[in-house]
Amino acid sequence: PLYKPPASSDSSQEHAIVTQFPMNDVEAIGLLKMDFLGLRTLTVVHDALASISEESGKELTTADIPIDDPATFELFAAGSTSGIFQFESTGMRDALRKLGPSRIEDLIAMNALYRPGPIGSGMIDEYIRRKHDPSKVKYLLPQLEEIQKETYGVIVYQEQVMRMAQEIAGYSLGEADLLRRAMGKKKVEEMVAQRARFLKGAKELKGIEEKLANEIFDTMEKFAGYGFNKSHAAAYALIGYQTAYLKRHFPVEFLAASMSLDIHNTVKLAAFVQEAKRLEIPIINPDVNRSTADFDVEEGALVYALGALKGVG
C-alpha cells in the first residue's frame, strides 16, 4: 500500500510517498521509517508564551528562553518539578535532588538514564557519584575522554557507542550503527563477528593490544544494552527545561496553560490547584463576568475556567 499526497500549488514542495507496511519490511528494502510524536506539552509551552506575550506586549518565543538559567536549574535541583514534562515522577524528583543538575547536559543524561535497565544496573547512581566526585571519572584510553567527558565517563548514549567504534576501530558510521543494533539486541553470532572486526580494527588503526581492545569492547557491550538515543533524550530534555523555565519565571501563565489542557481531568486540576497554593498564586473563583472557558491570568492571579465546572455547558 503506497500513497502519494496530491500536488500542492507550491511546486517547490516535494511530497514523499508513504506506506503502511511494517517497519522491518520497509527497512529491508531500503526505505526510511520515521516516527512523528505529537506532544501535549508543546501546546502548554505555546499557550503560556502567547499569554505572556499578550500581557507584556512583547512577543516571546522559545528562542528567547536562555539555556543556562541558574534559577531554572535550582528548580530542578530542588525537585520542584510537578507539571514538568518528563521530570515529574516521584523517583525522578528524588534523583534530581541527589544529582543537583547544573547544565542542560545533566538533564539530557537523566532523561536517558531514568529507565528500569539503567536504574537497576546502578548507572544512574554512578553518574551522580561521578558528577560530585571527579576523581571517580576514569577513561580506558585518552582518546575516549572527548566522547565520554560529557557523561563523566559513563556510556549513556547509543551515539557514544558508535563514536567509540569509529574512533578506536575505524568503523564507518553505517558499520557502527549495525554494531549498536547487534549489541542492543544481543545477537550472539553477530557479536562474535563484530568483536573480531573491532579487535582487528583497533590493532591496525591504533595499535591497541587485544586484551585492552577486548576490555573496551566488553564495556561498550555492557552499556549498549541500556544505551539510549541521545537525539531523542536531548529533544525531550529541552522541552522539559522550557516548561521548567516558564514555571520558574512565569508560574501563573504556565499553570493556566497546563490546567486548560487538562480541563476535564479533576485529579490533575486538584494537583495544579495545590501547586498554585504552594507557590502562593491567588486563585479567582469561577465568575461569569471575569472567567473565560479556559483558565486565564488577571493581574498575577489565576482565573478559574468556566469550562472546568462539571455540568455547565
Side-chain angles (χ1 to χ4, degrees), residues 170-247:
Y171 276 61
S172 70
L173 282 175
E175 287 180 305
D177 191 45
L178 294 175
L179 171 67
R180 172 194 67 77
R181 287 192 196 189
M183 285 180 164
K185 292 175 180 173
K186 297 178 171 56
K187 294 182 177 178
V188 179
E189 286 181 23
E190 206 170 323
M191 286 307 299
V192 172
Q194 287 287 358
R195 185 182 289 272
R197 159 75 179 88
F198 185 87
L199 298 181
K200 183 172 182 288
K203 175 82 173 170
E204 292 176 359
L205 183 71
K206 300 286 185 182
I208 298 169
E209 292 304 318
E210 188 172 305
K211 184 184 176 187
L212 179 56
N214 262 313
E215 192 179 346
I216 294 168
F217 192 88
D218 289 340
T219 304
M220 289 165 61
E221 190 174 6
K222 174 189 169 187
F223 287 106
Y226 304 123
F228 197 74
N229 181 258
K230 185 186 177 184
S231 57
H232 180 97
Y236 270 33
L238 179 62
I239 296 169
Y241 174 88
Q242 289 170 349
T243 58
Y245 178 88
L246 291 170
K247 181 178 179 181

Side-chain angles (χ1 to χ4, degrees), residues 13 18 75 99 167 243 245 249 280:
Q13 284 289 92
V18 296
L75 182 146
L99 176 68
E167 176 67 30
T243 58
Y245 178 88
H249 295 282
E280 298 181 351

Side-chain angles (χ1 to χ4, degrees), residues 257-268:
S258 300
M259 293 171 82
S260 294
L261 207 63
D262 279 309
I263 201 161
H264 299 303
N265 188 331
T266 51
V267 175
K268 280 203 164 186

Side-chain angles (χ1 to χ4, degrees), residues 20 27 35 50 52 88 200 205 239 272 279-280 299:
Q20 284 186 298
E27 284 185 344
D35 290 339
I52 296 160
E88 58 181 330
K200 183 172 182 288
L205 183 71
I239 296 169
F272 280 127
L279 296 171
E280 298 181 351
E299 295 178 358

Side-chain angles (χ1 to χ4, degrees), residues 157-168:
Y157 310 117
Q158 294 171 347
E159 287 90 337
Q160 287 174 307
V161 171
M162 292 169 65
R163 282 191 64 203
M164 287 172 72
Q166 188 183 24
E167 176 67 30
I168 301 299

